[in-house]
Amino acid sequence: MSAKQRRQAFAGDISGGAGLEFALIAPFLIMLLFGIFAFGWSMNNISSVRYALEASARSLQLNNTLTQADIQAVATQKLQALGLQNVNVTITTDPASGGFRMAHVNASYAFVISFPYFSDYPISYTTSVTVPLVGG
């Protein structure tokens, strides 16, 4: 068999081609899968923070004598049950107008998505819930 025939035989041989293509594409598909999972996890955390903030605002609405520390404790209790930490909750209250005050309960949360072989992607989330406080 001449060198030209061997080259033609090698070039025409397609056995293992699908395996090679999969080996080239698989790392990118796996990274995409991990990215989708990490992004979904961050969206779940954002939803959980919002849920805890709304529960804290409802507690404040029912008992408008709660302090900043009490609201932080309610939110922290809800968030720890969901597996989240390091969420900052603050309250600001507007002056009374028309027989009631408005309370603004704010939460901020920082989440970092880590991809292997890539730099980290930080996500900062801030949300606010406004509730009326009757009396007081």
Side-chain angles (χ1 to χ4, degrees):
M1 181 177 266
S2 70
K4 184 177 180 183
Q5 289 173 333
R6 279 192 299 242
R7 270 184 289 165
Q8 287 176 346
F10 181 74
D13 186 14
I14 59 169
S15 62
L20 178 64
E21 289 174 5
F22 179 75
L24 292 173
I25 299 298
F28 297 106
L29 292 176
I30 291 170
M31 293 285 292
L32 179 66
L33 182 66
F34 281 131
I36 290 169
F37 176 76
F39 186 74
W41 184 256
S42 69
M43 292 296 108
N44 180 49
N45 288 346
I46 288 170
S47 176
S48 299
V49 168
R50 180 71 184 187
Y51 164 75
L53 188 65
E54 288 173 356
S56 301
R58 281 191 297 273
S59 297
L60 178 63
Q61 195 171 21
L62 294 174
N63 182 4
N64 60 10
T65 61
L66 293 177
T67 64
Q68 170 105 10
D70 295 333
I71 294 299
Q72 179 75 37
V74 170
T76 302
Q77 178 186 10
K78 296 276 185 200
L79 292 169
Q80 285 180 346
L82 297 170
L84 297 175
Q85 299 173 356
N86 302 326
V87 177
N88 186 23
V89 178
T90 58
I91 305 169
T92 56
T93 306
D94 293 342
S97 172
F100 64 94
R101 299 175 295 150
M102 296 299 284
H104 306 279
V105 185
N106 304 307
S108 59
Y109 176 65
F111 184 79
V112 178
I113 297 176
S114 299
F115 293 108
Y117 306 110
F118 290 101
S119 60
D120 292 343
Y121 184 74
I123 296 175
S124 296
Y125 176 70
T126 303
T127 186
S128 178
V129 175
T130 302
V131 294
L133 301 176
V134 179

